[in-house]
Amino acid sequence: MGKVVLAGIGATPIGEHWEKSLRDLMVEAALKALEDAGVEKNVVEAIFVGNMSSGYLQGQEHIGSLLATWLGIPGVAACKVEAACASGGAAFHNAFTAVKSGVYDCALALGVEKMTDAPTEYVTSALIMADDQEYTAFAGFSFVALNALVYKAYMEKYGARQEDIALFAVHDHEHAVHNPLAQYRRAVTLDAVLSSPLVADPIHLLECAPTGDGAAAALICSEEKARELGLTPEVEVAASTLATDVLSLHDRDDLTTLQATVRAAKKAYRMAGIGPEDVDIVELHDAFTILGVIHLEDLGFAKKGEGWKLVKEGEIEPGGKIPANLMGGLKARGHPVGATGLYEIYDVATQLLGRAGKNQVEGAEIGLAQNVGGVGGTVAVTILRRMR
Amino acid sequence: MSYMNSVPRAWRERVTKYRLIGGRCKSCGKVFYPYRSFCPRCGSSDVEKIELPKRGKIKYFTVVRSAPAEFKKYEPYIVALVELENGAVVPAQITDAEPEELREGMPVEGVLRRYREQGEDGIIEYGIKFRPVVGEE
Ligand SMILES: [Zn+2]
């Protein structure tokens, strides 16, 4: 089987897009990806749309066909892919397997979420659907509450301090300043983070990814097809994997490791023929500060219980051991849930293509994106590699 | 409402939720809630259906200060993972206590309480909440 290459990427800014609908966001991201690739829309043979909550928040399902219709390419294969906050990564995985297998030569993976039309408590209701409705949501848990328990378990097990873990939010904001697509392009201090209101103890508001609207897309092709179209592909998809863990925390023996990350990463490193030490940049799914720390460990960049040290010692900055979330991460770039997996891929590609401006890591060749659904019920890992 | 107003669903879950019906895996020993045919740890089908004890301790708790729509009127309230005497872990609310009175490891006991309402005209859903055991501190 030949290589799968990234032909183009596109994304809308993340924010409160009151003037744009779900379909407007999808069409905008799709057109940008096609324009970036320099191809016509009729090269797209299949569309996979990652989205979590269009049914609940917009009363709209069947958005694969909706996008094909509004993009003016009815007839293509198209469907929605859902895996909570990992919907985008899962959509990309579907597109990858579709092209890798040879069934399609060219597929569009797109993620979209429109969250700001609804009042906060309804968004909170939508997000807890990522966990078990009959037992976890029934008991009144919010999604933040579940992560609060993970936070407590981590601090108890490893003796880590909140002021060290919360630095992840400060890091994200610092880099979002230079990302034109980011939702919050301003720096925050650790004091501001730790004095913001509690959402679910011990998690403060500024430790949580915000709600926002956005869509991001990646056009992928077989290398052969790309060359046939006259393209000169610069980035290949070296690996795309998906793994699960038991859905809910109450079924897990250890709350401080996301087994789905460990599993998806192991498969991805094997598929790409690399190890964690070969990764130049990483985009982590830090929906909450504690998750950023845990992901550094579960992806193999730090020993268990020591992820926070990488943050504190500057090792996730450009020039550090493993530069992470250099476009602002979920906290400051933003987290339109079903789109996030594609934004991460967009951000990794932006680095590999040398388009990251002030956030550019010189010579970045291999980048990894990790996208988490729920409290780790699903994890998608993508590895992109610059082609020589 | 974020979930279906459904009488059959609440009826279907009543025994599991009111009596805390869980499972014990005869293959790896895991005890879990709720009952299902396959062990969440090892996947074995050699699972025995058991009624779980109503006493245990708070494993981890937190305070929900920004609640889903159907719980909005109750915020702030306390949710926890409660580890029962046989090791099963149950997601539940803590009741009859303020957050400041609680700590991880504190002994608790189950009581049948109201959880959520299916709107103005729908049914009320009940389940087990846990409260601190008085005098066992
Ligand atoms: Zn078992």
Side-chain angles (χ1 to χ4, degrees):
Chain A
M1 283 178 288
K3 285 179 179 173
V4 175
V5 301
L6 198 61
I9 52 173
T12 72
I14 299 176
E16 300 187 10
H17 291 297
W18 295 328
E19 77 293 1
K20 288 175 188 168
S21 66
L22 184 85
R23 70 191 67 182
D24 294 337
L25 294 168
M26 289 197 286
V27 169
E28 184 179 329
L31 290 177
K32 281 182 171 171
L34 290 165
E35 188 191 345
D36 183 48
V39 298
E40 297 298 321
K41 63 191 179 187
N42 58 16
V43 306
V44 176
E45 298 164 30
I47 301 174
F48 297 91
V49 184
N51 170 266
M52 178 177 174
S53 296
S54 67
Y56 179 57
L57 294 176
Q58 276 77 43
Q60 179 70 62
E61 293 293 9
H62 209 177
I63 63 177
S65 179
L66 179 72
L67 173 56
T69 302
W70 282 71
L71 199 53
I73 48 170
V76 299
C79 67
K80 168 169 163 171
V81 178
E82 191 278 318
C85 332
S87 297
F92 186 86
H93 181 66
N94 273 266
F96 171 78
T97 54
V99 173
K100 189 78 176 170
S101 68
V103 173
Y104 301 108
D105 289 323
C106 205
L108 183 71
L110 185 143
V112 65
E113 205 76 54
K114 179 138 186 69
M115 306 171 78
T116 68
D117 280 356
T120 303
E121 63 268 30
Y122 288 92
V123 174
T124 307
S125 287
L127 294 177
I128 195 57
M129 293 182 196
D131 210 281
D132 189 327
Q133 182 62 233
E134 293 185 0
Y135 296 94
T136 311
F138 167 78
F141 279 86
S142 63
F143 189 60
V144 188
L146 292 171
N147 287 277
L149 302 184
V150 170
Y151 209 138
K152 281 189 156 185
Y154 185 90
M155 288 196 291
E156 179 195 75
K157 184 168 181 180
Y158 297 113
R161 302 182 314 164
Q162 184 161 17
E163 56 262 46
D164 293 330
I165 294 165
L167 280 172
F168 222 107
V170 178
H171 164 87
D172 277 10
H173 274 269
E174 190 184 320
H175 292 284
V177 170
H178 306 298
N179 179 0
L181 300 183
Q183 186 168 6
Y184 292 112
R185 300 184 65 185
R186 57 173 182 264
V188 298
T189 63
L190 182 61
D191 268 357
V193 174
L194 293 177
S195 59
S196 61
L198 285 165
V199 184
D201 318 31
I203 297 182
H204 293 272
L205 184 62
L206 287 186
E207 291 188 89
C208 308
T211 55
D213 309 330
L219 184 72
I220 60 172
C221 303
S222 64
E223 185 179 11
E224 195 184 350
K225 178 72 178 181
R227 301 213 184 273
E228 199 182 301
L229 290 168
L231 309 179
T232 310
E234 293 175 75
V235 172
E236 71 160 307
V237 184
S240 164
T241 62
L242 197 63
T244 56
D245 190 8
V246 288
L247 182 65
S248 299
L249 296 179
H250 60 264
D251 278 339
R252 295 188 196 163
D253 296 325
D254 178 6
L255 305 191
T256 66
T257 293
L258 300 193
Q259 290 299 337
T261 300
V262 176
R263 290 168 185 147
K266 194 174 167 191
K267 287 195 282 188
Y269 289 137
R270 196 186 314 130
M271 194 182 285
I274 63 165
E277 65 282 2
D278 299 312
V279 177
D280 297 316
I281 49 154
V282 65
E283 284 295 323
L284 304 167
H285 191 103
D286 60 332
F288 304 95
T289 51
I290 182 60
L291 292 187
V293 167
I294 287 176
H295 301 332
L296 283 170
E297 300 165 7
D298 293 345
L299 289 167
F301 302 123
K303 280 190 209 145
K304 279 313 292 182
E306 297 186 358
W308 59 271
K309 289 185 185 167
L310 290 183
V311 184
K312 195 174 185 182
E313 291 162 7
E315 297 289 2
I316 66 169
E317 307 302 324
K321 189 179 161 204
I322 180 69
N325 291 14
L326 294 186
M327 304 308 280
L330 275 66
K331 175 66 197 78
R333 178 200 59 229
H335 180 34
V337 288
T340 289
L342 265 306
Y343 274 101
E344 293 178 330
I345 288 165
Y346 181 99
D347 287 349
V348 168
T350 297
Q351 285 282 349
L352 300 186
L353 292 166
R355 301 175 184 171
K358 286 189 173 169
N359 292 336
Q360 184 66 44
V361 172
E362 291 310 320
E365 302 240 324
I366 296 177
L368 183 152
Q370 174 233 24
N371 183 207
V372 178
V375 277
T378 301
V379 172
V381 169
T382 308
I383 298 176
L384 302 180
R385 181 160 42 202
R386 203 158 70 194
M387 297 170 80
R388 287 158 202 281
Chain B
M1 301 299 284
S2 67
Y3 59 97
M4 283 295 291
N5 272 345
S6 169
V7 174
R9 205 212 67 228
W11 172 80
R12 197 162 58 232
E13 296 162 4
R14 73 197 186 287
V15 177
T16 302
K17 283 182 174 168
Y18 297 172
R19 295 194 193 150
L20 291 186
I21 302 301
R24 178 188 287 120
C25 175
K26 292 184 188 170
S27 181
C28 76
K30 188 171 177 77
V31 188
F32 52 87
Y33 175 81
Y35 169 77
R36 73 210 77 166
S37 329
F38 299 100
C39 172
R41 184 200 278 152
C42 74
S44 169
S45 61
D46 198 3
V47 168
E48 170 188 18
K49 188 184 273 195
I50 56 170
E51 182 167 344
L52 300 171
K54 306 298 177 291
R55 282 196 168 214
K57 61 183 183 185
I58 296 175
K59 196 173 176 197
Y60 299 108
F61 74 95
T62 184
V63 184
V64 178
R65 300 179 188 278
S66 181
E70 62 273 27
F71 289 95
K72 188 79 187 157
K73 64 180 177 182
Y74 302 115
E75 72 186 25
Y77 55 91
I78 305 157
V79 293
L81 293 182
V82 173
E83 186 174 336
L84 302 176
E85 282 169 344
N86 63 357
V89 177
V90 175
Q93 283 188 22
I94 303 296
T95 189
D96 301 355
E98 296 300 320
E100 312 78 69
E101 303 169 58
L102 301 178
R103 58 175 176 74
E104 269 86 19
M106 177 181 265
V108 289
E109 63 184 1
V111 284
L112 191 70
R113 292 289 169 88
R114 171 186 301 219
Y115 261 101
R116 63 183 181 187
E117 298 164 14
Q118 296 186 356
E120 294 256 313
D121 305 320
I123 61 167
I124 297 167
E125 297 186 38
Y126 289 86
I128 302 288
K129 294 186 183 179
F130 289 84
R131 66 182 176 199
V133 179
V134 181
E136 286 198 15
E137 274 291 348

